[in-house]
Amino acid sequence: MTEKNYRVTGMTCSACAASVQKAVAGLDGVHQANVNIASEKLYVKFDSTKTDFDTIKKAVEDAGYGLIGEQSTKTVELLIDGMTCAACSGAVERATRKLEGVQSAQVNLMTNRGTFIYDPSRIKLSEIKAAIEKAGYTPRDIAAEAAADPERERERKQARNMRIRLITAIVFSVPIFYIAMGHMFGFLKLPMPGFLDHHRYPLTFALVQFALTIPVLVAGSRFYTRGFKTLFKGAPNMDTLVAIGTGSAFLYSIFATVRIYMGDHAYTQSLYFESASVVITLVMVGKYLEARSKGKTSEAIKKLMQLRPTTAIIEKDGKELEVPLDEVAVGDIIIVKPGSSFPVDGQVYEGISTADESMLTGESLPVEKSPGSRVTGGSINGEGLIKFKATHVGEDTALSKIIKLVEEAQGKKAPIALLADVVSGWFVPVVLLIAIVSAIGWAAAGYDFKFVLSIFVSVLVIACPCALGLATPTAIMVGTGKGAELGILIKGGEALEASHKIDAVVLDKTGTITEGKPRLTDIRLYGDITEEQALFLCASAERGSEHPIAKAVVQEAENRGMKPDNPSSFTAVPGRGIDAVISGQRVLVGNLKLMNENDIDTQIATADAGALAASGRTLLYVAADGKLHALMAASDTVKQSSAEAIFRLRSMGLDIYMITGDNRNTAQAIAKEVGIQHILSDVLPADKAREIKRLQDSGKRVAMVGDGINDAPALVQADVGMAIGTGTDVAVESADVVLMGGDLNEVATAIALSKATIRNIKQNLFWAFIYNTIGIPFAAGVFYIFGGPLLSPVFAGAAMAFSSVSVVTNALRLRRFKIKQNPGGLSMQKVTLNVEGMSCQHCENRVKKAVGELAGVSSVDVDLKKKTVTVEFDPGMATEGNFKTAIEEQGYEVIGT
């Protein structure tokens, strides 16, 4: 199954999008087709054995629109110095045309420019330049930006053309309005040339308006060419309404002008040139503002694209060579100077610096880079010079994948958009019918043709389906774009909508709540030995082991500046530990079984072992020369952000579950530390999806957050799967939402952003429906029947333009989305404990440290005179019992509150 995104040209409203979608969806082999009017993109999922791009393009063109496919060739324009005659330009053409992959080469001697069309998969631009230089001439880059980003250049040309047409329309419609309506504002005493007096020179009055209207109609000719084309194909759109409405007013005005010429001067009151011209101008104003606003909805994508440099400096044969970005290959050594962007993904092999990865992960703090560190294309180098080896280039870089992911997400519709699609599909035909029925009704009631025409035109012009069609896609584009800006990739409208309904979040423990790698946390000493000596012996013995706990011990020793010795003898005892000889001493490092099998007395460590094991630690006994010297403990440490993130999720009213394969004791220790109340422990990897299903069957809408391969089935099973972006590719591919920064706080941000986006969509749909519900009856004269005002076509056009712009403007408010730290208003609590035994500053410090390290505690205040300890804490993450235990472990007695 093939999935593609193509650009559709010629669309102006949701009715256009519905026509294209219907035409493509009806093709054999097409399984899904979505058209996004805001981004003008067609997302299509099809069987490539049954249909292809040409078939899809023909269907779109038959519906009255155009389709731009993926470009397999590139066009570049070069300035060529050194040419003096036709023989020179011919030589350049011959030299480049014979290159494999060059499809066209045209050189203009007068402008010294050459235009080359080539296949980038077969030849590089630098090779074309080299051929020109070999021929004896010097090529220079021009219009590099247009060549690098043809889509952006096309948008600029469209915007420039739209602006010119709009200015033309305004320049000519303003005097028409002044001439036609000026006499109605007699109290303002507006000056009017005598030859335009409609009483004395009625024909001149009419002909001048006719002449001024023609340029406006030419400027707005697209409404007529597209509007009537789609009407004849049976799929009328917004252009059709404008074309029929203004066209009717214009044709009737011509009829009135002929009558004036024939001597019937009463028809000066029946001229509608100003209505036709001003309505077209107002609609063009609305379209221009809408286009500018729509451009802002995709700013996040543009910002990401701008992160990519156009060139890279590679090291070749000891020299620095600047090459275009698309010529960088895997394995190239790339030099990045301070303040420059990393052009592609790679691994540092020389240099120390930092990198600003905020646009990719949302993390504002710089990340340290040293040999072995991975760097991401688009991130910005700090103050050091870095050399790195390219590992991913082109479409395989993380930045390219992010851009593609966000573009695809913005092209996929949310279920909430289906209502607007259905309505939009029927909207234009129904409006045409209402306009005709209204006109016939007022004519039958005896009103003159001028009145009837005004009603007909007003209904057609005010009833624009654009607001309905733009309500959903603009909000989704801004919402997903804002998510990308915050390091949260949401894969489409469906995932965005599902996220706002979540009421339970299941968090995988390892790698999600915790760091995913153990760290040495405790050292208990027995006998005459220092902590450094015990750690040195243990690290030396464990140096040859690949066990994660062994690595944690060695890492801690190295962090303290130690250099462990190589053991003269090393034996790994399976399931037990290590038996090694260090500096002539026999050292045993392992579990209790190893100690017992070697007759090591561990009675002195029993109490410590029980307490540490109860807190979820993994124990490591260290003995030397037949005596126990130390008990060490290691655990998978909790990420610094986990407790805060879980507090935020709970404050949003969500039920939080932790799922893990660890035993109940270890799971409870981690859950207690971060404030999770629901634990799913001893769960095998294959059973994670089943646990998610069980929660769903109980009525919960579940988000699963994980990072490993074994999380993929659960991510798919959940209503919304969220993958930690620092995890495996399989998890990322399986998820609906990717958290690029690897921070659990992004889960709460993603859900909050989803709620804000769906709320924005509902606001847009509400106002779009209300606008049309009130606007159409108003234009049809329903309120006029009961003595209300009659809406003129000019005001109808202004109202239509305002409706579309207001919807897009409302969607753009999402760009100001901010993260609330405590969105649900979960309050902290205080408790004061009476404590006996505290007598000095040392006591105060010990109590503060013991209680302050507990999860959920925000402040600890000790009053030695009153012998009290006051704690401010999150009641969902800590209890009075936690504080009592921590204080009593320091040797003091809690006698009450």
Side-chain angles (χ1 to χ4, degrees):
M1 201 64 65
T2 303
E3 296 183 52
K4 294 288 184 182
N5 279 283
Y6 302 118
R7 178 171 285 277
V8 183
T9 59
M11 296 192 301
T12 57
C13 67
S14 56
C16 303
S19 297
V20 174
Q21 188 169 307
K22 183 178 179 182
V24 176
L27 294 174
D28 183 36
V30 173
H31 289 253
Q32 185 180 356
N34 287 329
V35 179
N36 187 321
I37 182 64
S39 62
E40 297 180 341
K41 290 286 184 71
L42 163 67
Y43 164 78
V44 58
K45 185 177 182 181
F46 62 95
D47 185 344
S48 57
T49 62
K50 294 182 179 181
T51 191
D52 55 18
F53 170 73
D54 292 334
T55 306
I56 296 170
K57 183 179 180 182
K58 186 177 185 305
V60 173
E61 289 174 347
D62 287 345
Y65 308 92
L67 194 68
I68 298 175
E70 297 174 323
Q71 292 184 327
S72 58
T73 61
K74 281 190 175 182
T75 301
V76 66
E77 193 173 18
L78 298 174
L79 189 65
I80 303 171
D81 294 336
M83 297 191 299
T84 57
C85 64
C88 299
S89 59
V92 174
E93 287 183 352
R94 287 192 299 274
T96 51
R97 280 175 181 166
K98 68 182 182 182
L99 297 173
E100 185 179 356
V102 174
Q103 297 182 4
S104 172
Q106 295 181 349
V107 180
N108 188 318
L109 179 63
M110 298 299 295
T111 61
N112 286 337
R113 295 189 179 198
T115 302
F116 306 91
I117 301 175
Y118 67 100
D119 183 349
S121 64
R122 298 168 63 192
I123 190 171
K124 294 181 178 180
L125 177 59
S126 58
E127 293 177 88
I128 297 175
K129 290 180 179 179
I132 295 172
E133 289 176 348
K134 191 175 180 181
Y137 307 95
T138 305
R140 289 191 289 127
D141 288 322
I142 54 173
E145 187 177 347
D149 194 353
E151 183 66 31
R152 190 175 177 186
E153 183 64 18
R154 189 183 70 83
E155 288 177 358
R156 283 181 177 176
K157 287 181 179 179
Q158 282 186 345
R160 187 164 56 248
N161 181 270
M162 183 180 285
R163 188 165 56 250
I164 292 170
R165 287 174 176 269
L166 175 60
I167 292 171
T168 302
I170 292 173
V171 166
F172 286 95
S173 61
V174 168
I176 297 173
F177 185 79
Y178 184 87
I179 293 168
M181 309 297 289
H183 64 280
M184 295 185 181
F185 301 99
F187 62 93
L188 294 177
K189 296 182 180 181
L190 297 175
M192 185 73 68
F195 72 92
L196 289 178
D197 188 322
H198 66 285
H199 293 298
R200 289 187 293 165
Y201 304 103
L203 184 60
T204 304
F205 178 74
L207 289 175
V208 169
Q209 290 186 59
F210 170 77
L212 290 171
T213 302
I214 296 301
V216 179
L217 296 184
V218 171
S221 59
R222 293 184 179 183
F223 292 117
Y224 299 96
T225 54
R226 293 175 180 172
F228 288 115
K229 185 177 181 180
T230 54
L231 176 64
F232 296 146
K233 289 184 177 292
N237 60 11
M238 187 276 293
D239 290 337
T240 307
L241 299 180
V242 174
I244 293 176
T246 59
S248 301
F250 179 71
L251 291 175
Y252 180 70
S253 298
I254 291 177
F255 168 75
T257 302
V258 172
R259 294 294 307 211
I260 293 170
Y261 174 76
M262 294 172 65
D264 192 348
H265 296 175
Y267 272 89
T268 55
Q269 303 299 320
S270 299
L271 294 173
Y272 276 92
F273 288 121
E274 89 285 349
S275 291
S277 60
V278 174
V279 164
I280 285 177
T281 302
L282 286 171
V283 174
M284 290 177 71
V285 168
K287 283 293 173 187
Y288 179 72
L289 294 175
E290 181 186 305
R292 289 194 62 182
S293 299
K294 280 163 61 178
K296 293 179 182 178
T297 63
S298 57
E299 266 190 10
I301 287 287
K302 291 175 182 175
K303 284 180 181 177
L304 288 173
M305 288 180 170
Q306 288 168 4
L307 291 176
R308 293 186 292 202
T310 56
T311 61
I313 299 174
I314 64 172
E315 188 176 68
K316 197 170 186 178
D317 300 327
K319 296 181 180 179
E320 293 184 10
L321 181 64
E322 187 170 356
V323 300
L325 186 62
D326 57 5
E327 294 187 22
V328 176
V330 173
D332 282 348
I333 302 301
I334 302 173
I335 300 171
V336 183
K337 297 178 180 179
S340 300
S341 296
F342 290 95
V344 294
D345 298 354
Q347 188 169 25
V348 178
Y349 87 97
E350 185 179 311
I352 297 175
S353 186
T354 59
D356 178 0
E357 299 179 345
S358 57
M359 273 302 293
L360 301 172
T361 65
E363 173 56 57
S364 58
L365 295 176
V367 181
E368 291 185 3
K369 301 296 178 183
S370 57
S373 301
R374 294 194 173 277
V375 293
T376 307
S379 57
I380 300 171
N381 186 26
E383 298 179 353
L385 183 99
I386 288 285
K387 291 184 180 180
F388 73 96
K389 180 181 286 187
T391 57
H392 297 86
V393 300
E395 297 301 313
D396 294 328
T397 63
L399 181 59
S400 294
K401 288 180 179 178
I402 289 171
I403 292 171
K404 184 178 180 181
L405 195 65
V406 177
E407 284 182 331
E408 288 178 352
Q410 293 181 341
K412 294 178 181 177
K413 293 185 177 179
I416 196 172
L418 297 178
L419 175 62
D421 285 348
V422 172
V423 172
S424 296
W426 286 94
F427 192 84
V428 175
V430 169
V431 169
L432 280 169
L433 182 62
I434 291 173
I436 293 169
V437 170
S438 299
I440 293 173
W442 286 108
Y447 284 82
D448 60 25
F449 188 75
K450 177 184 176 182
F451 184 92
V452 171
L453 181 63
S454 178
I455 292 289
F456 181 71
V457 175
S458 294
V459 172
L460 290 178
V461 172
I462 200 170
C464 173
C466 291
L468 277 175
L470 290 169
T472 302
T474 49
I476 288 177
M477 287 185 72
V478 180
T480 52
K482 185 65 180 180
E485 199 175 301
L486 296 170
I488 300 165
L489 303 184
I490 304 171
K491 297 182 181 179
E494 191 171 342
L496 190 69
E497 184 170 348
S499 296
H500 96 285
K501 299 177 181 177
I502 294 301
D503 52 26
V505 178
V506 177
L507 304 172
D508 177 55
K509 181 184 78 70
T510 306
T512 302
I513 297 175
T514 66
E515 296 288 355
K517 52 186 178 183
R519 182 174 67 86
L520 193 64
T521 56
D522 301 271
I523 301 177
R524 300 285 191 269
L525 303 174
Y526 311 103
D528 188 18
I529 191 172
T530 65
E531 192 170 284
E532 283 70 22
Q533 290 172 331
L535 183 58
F536 178 81
L537 286 176
C538 186
S540 299
E542 295 278 25
R543 194 172 185 182
S545 175
E546 290 298 316
H547 194 280
I549 303 296
K551 289 182 177 180
V553 171
V554 174
Q555 183 64 52
E556 179 64 22
E558 290 177 349
N559 289 345
R560 297 192 186 191
M562 299 181 187
K563 292 184 178 180
D565 282 347
N566 287 319
S568 55
S569 172
F570 176 90
T571 303
V573 184
R576 303 291 192 273
I578 300 296
D579 187 342
V581 176
I582 308 295
S583 301
Q585 283 184 297
R586 185 189 178 197
V587 179
L588 296 172
V589 178
N591 57 22
L592 187 60
K593 289 181 181 179
L594 181 66
M595 299 297 113
N596 291 339
E597 289 172 359
N598 287 274
D599 298 323
I600 303 296
D601 184 6
T602 60
Q603 191 67 32
I604 193 173
T606 301
D608 287 336
L612 292 170
S615 64
R617 305 287 198 266
T618 300
L619 305 181
L620 202 64
Y621 292 84
V622 181
D625 293 332
K627 292 182 180 180
L628 181 68
H629 285 294
L631 174 64
M632 298 185 182
S635 71
D636 185 4
T637 54
V638 171
K639 291 180 180 178
Q640 289 184 351
S641 60
S642 291
E644 177 193 349
I646 290 162
F647 174 74
R648 286 185 61 203
L649 289 168
R650 288 182 48 254
S651 70
M652 296 170 73
L654 302 169
D655 291 331
I656 312 300
Y657 294 78
M658 182 177 75
I659 191 167
T660 177
D662 289 346
N663 61 59
R664 189 73 181 176
N665 283 344
T666 301
Q668 282 181 329
I670 296 293
K672 177 183 175 182
E673 188 173 348
V674 296
I676 293 178
Q677 296 171 321
H678 306 291
I679 303 170
L680 305 172
S681 59
D682 300 297
V683 179
L684 297 174
D687 294 333
K688 287 185 178 181
R690 190 177 297 119
E691 289 292 333
I692 300 294
K693 181 70 166 59
R694 186 177 62 78
L695 288 174
Q696 290 171 325
D697 290 342
S698 69
K700 294 188 179 297
R701 285 163 292 195
V702 182
M704 167 67 189
V705 186
D707 74 325
I709 292 175
N710 58 14
D711 295 324
L715 291 170
V716 173
Q717 174 63 48
D719 296 281
V720 177
M722 296 186 177
I724 299 294
T726 52
T728 65
D729 289 342
V730 175
V732 170
E733 288 294 326
S734 304
D736 303 301
V737 178
V738 182
L739 312 174
M740 295 301 296
D743 188 336
L744 269 186
N745 275 296
E746 293 170 351
V747 177
T749 302
I751 294 174
L753 179 60
S754 166
K755 290 179 183 292
T757 305
I758 297 302
R759 185 165 57 249
N760 191 282
I761 289 173
K762 288 178 178 178
Q763 290 169 354
N764 285 347
L765 288 173
F766 173 79
W767 287 113
F769 277 118
I770 288 294
Y771 163 79
N772 284 293
T773 301
I774 297 174
I776 294 176
F778 201 99
V782 173
F783 295 100
Y784 183 73
I785 297 173
F786 301 101
L790 188 66
L791 189 68
S792 77
V794 170
F795 288 109
M800 187 217 70
F802 174 77
S803 70
S804 297
V805 175
S806 62
V807 164
V808 178
T809 303
N810 186 50
L812 289 174
R813 289 192 308 111
L814 284 169
R815 294 166 65 197
R816 299 197 298 269
F817 170 82
K818 291 183 178 179
I819 303 165
K820 294 181 180 179
Q821 295 302 319
N822 187 8
L826 194 65
S827 59
M828 305 292 279
Q829 290 186 7
K830 276 189 178 182
V831 63
T832 299
L833 306 173
N834 297 313
V835 181
E836 287 291 340
M838 297 188 300
S839 60
C840 63
Q841 186 66 44
H842 178 65
C843 299
E844 179 180 339
N845 293 338
R846 287 180 63 185
V847 170
K848 276 189 174 182
K849 186 175 187 297
V851 178
E853 288 179 346
L854 296 175
V857 174
S858 62
S859 67
V860 183
D861 182 47
V862 177
D863 189 325
L864 292 176
K865 290 183 179 179
K866 295 181 179 179
K867 297 190 182 302
T868 60
V869 177
T870 302
V871 186
E872 185 177 21
F873 65 100
D874 168 16
M877 298 173 66
T879 65
E880 292 179 26
N882 300 143
F883 313 144
K884 182 179 179 181
T885 301
I887 292 170
E888 289 180 344
E889 283 180 351
Q890 301 304 313
Y892 309 105
E893 183 182 359
V894 178
I895 59 175
T897 59

